[in-house]
Amino acid sequence: MSTPGAGGARVEVLGLSAAFGRTRVLEDVRLAVEPGGWTAVIGPNGSGKSTLLRSVLGFHPHEGMVRVDGVPTTGMPRRERARQLAYAPQRPVVPEGVSTADYVALGRTPHRSLLAAPRPGDHRVVAEVMGRLELTGLADRLVTTLSGGEQQRAVLARALAQQPRVLLLDEPTAALDLGHAQQVLDLVDRLRRQDGLTVLSTLHDLSLAGQYADRLALLSAGRVVAEGRPADVLTADALASHYGARAEVVAGPHGPAVLPLRAPDGDRG
Ligand code: ADP
Ligand code: MG
């Protein structure tokens, strides 16, 4: 972006455990994402991916520690945390009666003093982010009237307008068709290459995860069971044992892709 943020930060997750009531859903999770790195958390439904991101943000109670450039996030003032970390949730709740442009502009709040009017720089960042996500033509539409995919892009735009050092994306492509999914992931990839933004995302599409992330962390029943380069984590064995899936892993030019295989003839009823 022509108005870069402060560059990426190193994120460390140390011994993070979390629960819903008495049900433990994350167990001693350890992860480190280097500045400008992209780690995608993969894993079957219910393995704890969303809870992990929400815990890193401090939105879900947890044990263990999260550090951003060595500084623990517990006790970090909210505004300071919002200048470091931006989040695009899996199921965003968008406010009623707010235009798309005003919604994206909410991302500038952590950069302004309380009640101060937006400055020209704020408008510039918002306009630029909206242009890059093809939202300019939707600026005056109420954000509640956008389609699922448009809303997902608006939520991402709001997070980018925050000019964070770390972007936390929960299933950023879930509501998007393939072309829009690639557009969003290409943009995130450019931001981390040009501005050094650090990205921690979940991605349930394993082929997209294998192509875009430089590290994968495979979560299974709340534990990291494999972490490393995509080609080392995405294996047919791992897909069989943790997803119960039959699949072939194919080497692509930018990383592994997954080809699901239907059951052999004898196994179909
Ligand atoms: P994922 O994002 O990998 O699909 P989640 O982090 O959403 O997994 O969920 C992890 C586990 O926590 C699942 O078993 C899920 O059912 C449970 N869970 C998620 N949200 C709640 C909630 N609000 N109350 C109780 N259990 C929950
Ligand atoms: Mg989830």
Side-chain angles (χ1 to χ4, degrees), residues 43-51 90-91 170-171 202 204:
N45 295 339
S47 56
K49 303 181 296 294
S50 294
T51 308
Q90 180 169 1
R91 293 197 202 89
D170 197 1
E171 301 295 352
T202 68
H204 77 276

Side-chain angles (χ1 to χ4, degrees), residues 14-241:
L14 303 163
L16 192 147
S17 299
F20 284 99
R22 288 162 63 187
T23 310
R24 313 264 299 173
V25 296
L26 291 172
E27 206 63 67
D28 195 27
V29 171
R30 281 162 199 278
L31 277 182
V33 195
E34 298 304 323
W38 184 342
T39 293
V41 180
I42 59 171
N45 295 339
S47 56
K49 303 181 296 294
S50 294
T51 308
L52 174 58
L53 287 201
R54 293 178 47 76
S55 298
V56 168
L57 284 148
F59 294 170
H60 189 88
H62 58 271
E63 294 154 34
M65 194 190 277
V66 176
R67 289 200 295 231
V68 176
D69 272 350
V71 180
T73 54
T74 36
M76 203 183 262
R78 254 187 112 78
R79 280 165 63 79
E80 174 58 18
R81 196 182 295 201
R83 281 196 291 254
Q84 304 282 343
L85 308 172
Y87 170 56
Q90 180 169 1
R91 293 197 202 89
V93 181
V94 293
E96 302 276 343
V98 174
S99 74
T100 301
D102 286 345
Y103 177 73
V104 175
L106 289 174
R108 299 306 299 158
T109 316
H111 293 278
R112 295 205 301 264
S113 51
L114 282 177
L115 305 177
R119 292 165 304 182
D122 293 321
H123 292 302
R124 194 178 63 238
V125 171
V126 170
E128 184 174 341
V129 167
M130 289 186 67
R132 291 179 83 166
L133 284 164
E134 286 183 20
L135 290 167
T136 311
L138 301 172
D140 297 328
R141 281 264 298 278
L142 291 179
V143 69
T144 45
T145 69
L146 301 182
S147 75
E150 290 163 349
Q151 247 176 37
Q152 202 163 16
R153 300 211 303 278
V155 170
L156 181 62
R158 175 187 164 162
L160 292 175
Q162 222 169 303
Q163 292 186 303
R165 304 183 65 210
V166 180
L167 197 52
L168 296 151
L169 306 174
D170 197 1
E171 301 295 352
T173 61
L176 304 181
D177 61 56
L178 185 55
H180 282 108
Q182 289 177 326
Q183 180 191 25
V184 159
L185 297 178
D186 285 338
L187 171 61
V188 172
D189 190 56
R190 269 202 307 281
L191 290 168
R192 81 180 182 100
R193 286 175 198 285
Q194 293 170 1
D195 302 353
L197 193 68
T198 305
V199 184
L200 178 60
S201 73
T202 68
L203 273 177
H204 77 276
D205 185 313
L206 300 172
S207 296
L208 291 176
Q211 303 289 302
Y212 283 92
D214 56 3
R215 310 282 294 180
L216 297 183
L218 171 56
L219 209 56
S220 184
R223 291 175 188 274
V224 177
V225 292
E227 198 276 333
R229 293 183 312 123
D232 297 331
V233 174
L234 266 190
T235 62
D237 279 352
L239 296 175
S241 46

